[in-house]
Amino acid sequence: MKKYVYLFTEGSAKMKNLLGGKGANLSEMTNIGLPVPRGFTVSTDVCTRYYADGEKIADDIQIQIDEALAKTEEIVGKKLGDKKNPFLVSVRSGAKVSMPGMMDTVLNLGLNDVVVEGLAELTGNAAFAYDSYRRFVMMFSDVVIGVDKSIFERKLDAIKDEKGVEFDNELTDDDMKEVLQAFKKLYKDEMGSEFPQDPKVQLAEAIKAVFRSWDNERAIIYRRINDIPGDIGTAVNVQEMVYGNMGDTSGTGVAFTRNPSTGDKMLMGEFLMNAQGEDVVAGVRTPKKISQLRETNKGIYDQFIKIAQDLEDHYHDMQDIEFTIEKGKLFILQTRNGKRTAQAALKIAVDLVNEGMLTKEEAIMKVDPKQLDAVLHPMFDTTALKNAKIVANGLPASPGAATGKVFFTAEDAAKAHENGEKEIILVRLETSPEDIEGMHVSKGILTARGGMTSHAAVVARGMGTCCVSGCSDIKIYEDKKYFLLNDGTKISEGEYISLDGSKGNVYASKLPTVEPEVTGDFATFMSWADEIRTLKVRTNADSPKDAKTAIKFGAEGIGLCRTEHMFFEADRIKAVREMILADNLEQREKALEKLLPMQRGDFEGIFEAMQGHPVTIRFLDPPLHEFLPTDEEDIKALAVDMNVTYESLKEKTEELHEFNPMMGHRGCRLSISYPEIAIMQTKAVIEAALNVNKKGMNVIPEIMIPLVGDVAELKFVKDLVVTTADKIISNSGVKLEYTVGTMIEIPRACLTADIIAKEAAFFSFGTNDLTQMTFGFSRDDAGKFLNDYYSKKIYESDPFAKLDQTGVGQLVKMACDLGRKARPNIKLGICGEHGGDPSSIDFCYRVGLDYVSCSPFRVPIARLAAAQSVIINR
Amino acid sequence: MKKYVYLFTEGSAKMKNLLGGKGANLSEMTNIGLPVPRGFTVSTDVCTRYYADGEKIADDIQIQIDEALAKTEEIVGKKLGDKKNPFLVSVRSGAKVSMPGMMDTVLNLGLNDVVVEGLAELTGNAAFAYDSYRRFVMMFSDVVIGVDKSIFERKLDAIKDEKGVEFDNELTDDDMKEVLQAFKKLYKDEMGSEFPQDPKVQLAEAIKAVFRSWDNERAIIYRRINDIPGDIGTAVNVQEMVYGNMGDTSGTGVAFTRNPSTGDKMLMGEFLMNAQGEDVVAGVRTPKKISQLRETNKGIYDQFIKIAQDLEDHYHDMQDIEFTIEKGKLFILQTRNGKRTAQAALKIAVDLVNEGMLTKEEAIMKVDPKQLDAVLHPMFDTTALKNAKIVANGLPASPGAATGKVFFTAEDAAKAHENGEKEIILVRLETSPEDIEGMHVSKGILTARGGMTSHAAVVARGMGTCCVSGCSDIKIYEDKKYFLLNDGTKISEGEYISLDGSKGNVYASKLPTVEPEVTGDFATFMSWADEIRTLKVRTNADSPKDAKTAIKFGAEGIGLCRTEHMFFEADRIKAVREMILADNLEQREKALEKLLPMQRGDFEGIFEAMQGHPVTIRFLDPPLHEFLPTDEEDIKALAVDMNVTYESLKEKTEELHEFNPMMGHRGCRLSISYPEIAIMQTKAVIEAALNVNKKGMNVIPEIMIPLVGDVAELKFVKDLVVTTADKIISNSGVKLEYTVGTMIEIPRACLTADIIAKEAAFFSFGTNDLTQMTFGFSRDDAGKFLNDYYSKKIYESDPFAKLDQTGVGQLVKMACDLGRKARPNIKLGICGEHGGDPSSIDFCYRVGLDYVSCSPFRVPIARLAAAQSVIINR
């Protein structure tokens, strides 16, 4: 028969999957002889069965729970429901991965009208007994039947008012009885039946409630944000209650074995005597520093210090420990690897290696790659932040902190910047490619619409600029240059706001920011990651500035240089528009002729910044109408500028209109209609490479043809490239190598990758578009329904943030396999947003890509994730 | 050594792939002893080599050509370039599939300044010799070096004017010499060199020119329209010239063994004495009926009658025969299965079976399924058509002919219809779903934008309404209610135009149409197809009217009933809009409540029309904004109507705006956000089924959830459907079976079809969307570049018209295999436009679908194509 329930004496730290983190650690501590209150763990398998059986605990499992309970009662020497010697338990969740505060807990279970009297007698403390019972009634009601705690709290406050007392402990025994009766009545009013008196019923209901809480809304959201799968379930720990509130020889506290903010090696924590854990959190009394425990009770202090050190030594990591002292006896309630800041994580990892506690590889596994983000971006000054009020909240689209004056159009932002304004926040309904210059000069970007992968979010992350997107709490009036907060507050052009792009918070004031220090630990730690990883890490960069940032962060090349981003700059958009509006080949070539030196200059700058590292240049990708204005005023202005009539320009823009621009006339389709574009871009790339190579570099440009779905498309454009390039090279008399490859971003390209590989020196997976097309939704529009998908448990995560390995991944793998079969030395990389996401990077490692490419600010994350993949997949 | 060149004595009719249709038939006729001018065929393999070798004839092949020429000269007893006994040849193309007039021909090859004198002497007819030579110069210049014929023709006309004669044969020998000199000068002026005198050079150049003509623009277009692959190449036939213009005992003619218009069994043809083939075509002299040949030359007539009958008997099909009489001797120049009208094709097929010439299966293979279209739609009266001028040309989007008064908005069309106007042509820039009612009342639809699969085209084909789309020859001013033709002619509301949806032609006048008769032969023929085929044929129908039409055409069920088409009708669009604009669940449910009885009524009507055949109902699919007006005036009117402010309505419509609606909030995503929609639709379907079953029918509704990309989506909506349906059924006390399945139209659904099949009783492939997403382009936007793709030989055919078997087909096959693995009895069908395309139907047969579903008017086409697939794949 399958074992579903484990006594703490039966488990170990290795059984996290089955017992959850908390349960496994309770077992581990029990078995190394630490003073842990006794109990048992109902395993995560039961959670799975619970849901599979239609939210029921099956009989075969109930029998095991009953047996474990009986054995525990025997060990403890108490009995659930026994008036003379009552066994009281806590019932707590505990998943494989810690999800603090997300799931439910029930304390003091086992109390009823009879037992409470026994407890009063046994402890000689009736107030304590009734207080414990009323807490139990409240928690049970909240957790098991969903009656909000606040109803009970209001009742308690009312009675305290009536009695004229301020604190709970001023209530008399009789007052406490009255509170209890009132709570029980509240339960009955809500449920229509009396509070359950049978402790076994209480236990069964509490266990089920904990399983149910696995799927409450906040847990689902937490899992999505933290990338925790939804099908692993939680365990339930049933544990003997110990009480820190049994008088002055009792107490409770928490401690970290090292400083979780700085990583400094020193025990750090707090405690309160005659109190329960909740009281520490409630903040009514101020807890004392852990060092003061020495004065209170030296014996306990020494015992605790030793245990803390033992636990750190045992787990080879900084521990977060909860303890209770019951009548002078120390109990360890929980230990876990402590949460810490990124800085602390790096310091601790490096220190533990230096202390000989960890190998470098073990240290690499101790830091969550995503956490590194925090050490790469500015942050708010923490004291200033304490007094700041969050006035709106949106999506944390691009990390970092920013403060500045608001502007409502990209032009206004650019103008302010020209006038010397340094602190600019661009506020838009949503951004579009035309806004690129205004975005560039801004410290932060705030949009009312658009998701984590909207234009604003993607571009901001690429630039390393702080961004809050999809902030529906604000109402923007762009034309009138102000926005309204939910409470009606109006914020106009030029007023200060601050954005926290890591949390999605908006503040209506100026908040000082601090540049985080990248300490020596960071460099040391990353060098270890580099020793281990095999995947190369490139960057997506469109300018020499981005390229330099990326190099600083350790990029080993450019995986995606989007040539169109250069097109938007003020000095060249005019030539781009002339090219688009040209009526014939001759006019178009003339306009392209103007663009050629600019593009060549851009490429020279990028090649120089990359110091000989490989650079993959993607040819023009977006539909041409993206370069034209859309609103009437702008069209009128452009008409004057271009010396054409408004009507003819309007007509032209309408001709270019597309129903679904994402699936329109773009990518290689442009070069097929207008070969002269590819020819100009080839000239710019090849001439730039020749120029910098003359200075002694050795650039080998990689030309990437986008949006290929059929080999004939690639072949057509490649022929243009090769013919043009070879002529320039042979005329120059200098040797130059270059390669031509393609972006794989259309399902059909994956399906026919063997045929395409015959013409492609490399594949770079454009998983943004590939995800859009494989799922059949546009990332700009998916924001409208993705939240419904999360709340209805259809998706666990955003497929644009985390690569969908089941569907999209299958296509990627297919393309890799087919591509290598046709061309064994084909170079394979990824340049979609997923290239900076750790779980996606692991996938890339497993399918055997040569490199990932991500925005400059994610390069260190990718380096670490790539190292972890090597270790995980060994 | 590989054989590349075949004497006519070496081939046979079976060698069509290698020798082309013409070459194979020339061999066949030679071998059964018919009088065929002697010659040889350069095979299609040479064409392939020609392109592979960089448009060259390789030496090894040239040797074989020279040998074949030498052997033929020996047999004929003449020599190329021999003045005394010159061998003159024709050089003609001949692909596997006949492409009449698409490729090039050179006649009289072998003539030069010396040989022409010999020919004059030999024939005693200098005018004939010079005329032949000047014709050769003209054809060679046109075909080999691309000088337009018209330049030569103008020169000839000028000389005739100068000489004061009307017809060529009035020119004297000297005049003819003068013409020849003038032509040779024209050649020299264009080429800068003398006309080539070496007959071997002439031959080599002519052969290359024919291969080149395989890839001329008109041939590429012809192949795309007729679904002929681009890589099979053409053969070249080099054949002894015979002359019908050598005096009164010579002549030329063509004949069909049966009437190609009606199919009647009677020899039908024309001839001219003392003439060449071109002269018959030129129409200067009126040809005589073939029966009159008996009077002219009874011997020849009897010989020809016998040969014609022999050829029909030999080929078991109606023959189209070309012959020449040279000085009293009959030569057969070509025979092929004659082109015929659809009516004739049906009659001939049935007659040949009745005559014992063909088996039913052979007869089934004799009719091109696409041809059937012509017998199902109205046509123009042929005499009226002769005098009508084509004023514009667009895409032949939906076949048939229509004449009527133009209207420029759907509302105007609907209003005119209400006022009793029967003949309405709707003219729009492009149509949108709002136009559906106006489209319904129109006889024909003309749009300036949009391709073969634009909204207008798809809907029109579904309705069987004639449509010309993408007609860029006209400029529409919808607001001013007129359009302009290229020549500036203005056509205003209420004026008559006529449309030919089979050819894409527009006429600026009223043209009478005739309803074609579907004769008994049609029914007989289709019954044979039904005996053979194994694929079921269903229809896409959204109304009882469509359903009835489809049943008449032999549909065996509805494969796709689009519920949203019902939403646009005037009496319900208001409730639909209320539903969309609802601020909360309650309001939304109230609006849905109003829609319920209407939808239920629709379904009752459809179930009754389908008489117990299966009906697949697709739940609401399009994004909701499609149901809202887009221009300001309409929004204002709606605001008044809905009793809300303009601003709030405008805001709501902007909120619903999508960047890429095709990939937006639609399909099952709607029911996930608004489960009440699926619940209402389930009620309507199930209640309707219960109601009609009470009348003694046995409807088993198939509920289809659209746009599923993940099994969790399907499961969520299916649960809503099943819960709702089972409750209604159990309350009714009556038994009702129903199934729930999904449309497979998203790549991810194909990739995960095994998981999805666990929840789906059936898959119906929505290959329109699947093609869009697999290729990554929207069919509404692809029109902008597909023409570039065709002209640059990147695509051979429109993937929306003909299923892309390499890419999309791979996904379909994958989904079928995975689906059947997970659920062996899963029902598989296709409901995209491809379900009515013969080559795609063949693919469906091969991957083992249970049925195809297409618009009512394509049902007979699908029935025939399905039968042919069985035979082809045996």
Side-chain angles (χ1 to χ4, degrees), chain A residues 430 449 475 651 654-666 668-669 671-675 707 709-710 712-713 716 746-752 755 772-782 784-785 788-789 792-795 804 806-808 810-811 814 818, chain B residues 430 449 475 651 654-666 668-669 671-675 707 709-710 712-713 716 746-752 755 772-782 784-785 788-789 792-795 804 806-808 810-811 814 818:
Chain A
E430 57 211 349
R449 294 195 198 143
K475 254 197 148 63
E651 197 183 317
E654 276 174 9
E655 256 175 50
L656 286 172
H657 165 262
E658 292 185 307
F659 296 96
N660 298 287
M662 220 280 300
M663 312 187 85
H665 197 181
R666 51 175 286 236
C668 66
R669 297 162 197 162
S671 294
I672 288 167
S673 294
Y674 310 116
L707 218 68
D710 190 298
E713 297 174 306
F716 182 91
I746 285 187
R748 197 175 185 282
C750 297
L751 294 164
T752 61
I755 315 174
Q772 297 194 91
M773 292 174 197
T774 306
F775 276 89
F777 51 71
S778 123
R779 61 183 190 187
D780 290 321
D781 300 309
K784 290 212 172 95
F785 55 84
D788 293 330
Y789 270 53
K792 290 171 186 173
K793 293 194 68 183
I794 289 166
Y795 288 171
D804 159 52
T806 314
V808 180
Q810 203 181 133
L811 283 175
M814 187 186 294
L818 289 173
Chain B
E430 56 212 349
R449 294 194 197 144
K475 256 197 147 64
E651 198 182 314
E654 277 173 7
E655 256 175 52
L656 286 171
H657 166 260
E658 293 185 308
F659 295 97
N660 297 286
M662 221 278 302
M663 312 187 84
H665 197 183
R666 52 174 285 237
C668 67
R669 298 162 195 162
S671 294
I672 288 166
S673 293
Y674 310 115
L707 218 70
D710 190 298
E713 297 175 304
F716 182 90
I746 285 187
R748 198 175 185 280
C750 298
L751 295 163
T752 62
I755 317 174
Q772 296 194 90
M773 294 174 195
T774 306
F775 276 89
F777 51 69
S778 122
R779 62 182 188 185
D780 290 321
D781 300 309
K784 290 211 170 95
F785 53 85
D788 293 330
Y789 272 53
K792 288 167 186 175
K793 290 193 72 182
I794 288 166
Y795 289 171
D804 159 51
T806 313
V808 180
Q810 204 181 134
L811 284 174
M814 187 186 294
L818 289 172

Side-chain angles (χ1 to χ4, degrees), chain A residues 351-368:
Chain A
D351 285 353
L352 288 176
V353 171
N354 290 339
E355 291 163 23
M357 291 253 270
L358 292 181
T359 64
K360 288 177 187 174
E361 298 207 346
E362 285 165 344
I364 285 297
M365 294 308 295
K366 291 287 182 191
V367 179
D368 178 357

Side-chain angles (χ1 to χ4, degrees), chain B residues 461-503:
Chain B
R461 281 198 294 274
M463 292 174 174
T465 300
C466 156
C467 174
V468 173
S469 71
C471 180
S472 53
D473 287 349
I474 63 170
K475 256 197 147 64
I476 303 183
Y477 299 85
E478 286 181 352
D479 46 343
K480 294 175 188 153
K481 305 200 175 176
Y482 68 83
F483 70 87
L484 295 182
L485 298 175
N486 265 343
D487 66 359
T489 309
K490 180 170 166 183
I491 296 185
S492 301
E493 185 181 84
E495 292 187 55
Y496 266 98
I497 65 168
S498 299
L499 303 179
D500 182 341
S502 312
K503 299 203 176 96

Side-chain angles (χ1 to χ4, degrees), chain A residues 783-849:
Chain A
K784 290 212 172 95
F785 55 84
L786 279 183
N787 281 330
D788 293 330
Y789 270 53
Y790 301 140
S791 70
K792 290 171 186 173
K793 293 194 68 183
I794 289 166
Y795 288 171
E796 281 179 2
S797 60
D798 178 354
F800 294 115
K802 183 180 169 186
L803 189 79
D804 159 52
Q805 299 185 15
T806 314
V808 180
Q810 203 181 133
L811 283 175
V812 171
K813 186 166 185 319
M814 187 186 294
C816 289
D817 293 346
L818 289 173
R820 270 189 296 248
K821 209 175 75 184
R823 184 190 282 253
N825 67 341
I826 192 164
K827 200 189 273 187
L828 301 172
I830 181 174
C831 61
E833 287 263 308
H834 301 101
D837 169 65
S839 82
S840 310
I841 291 169
D842 184 56
F843 173 83
C844 294
Y845 172 80
R846 285 185 280 112
V847 297
L849 297 195

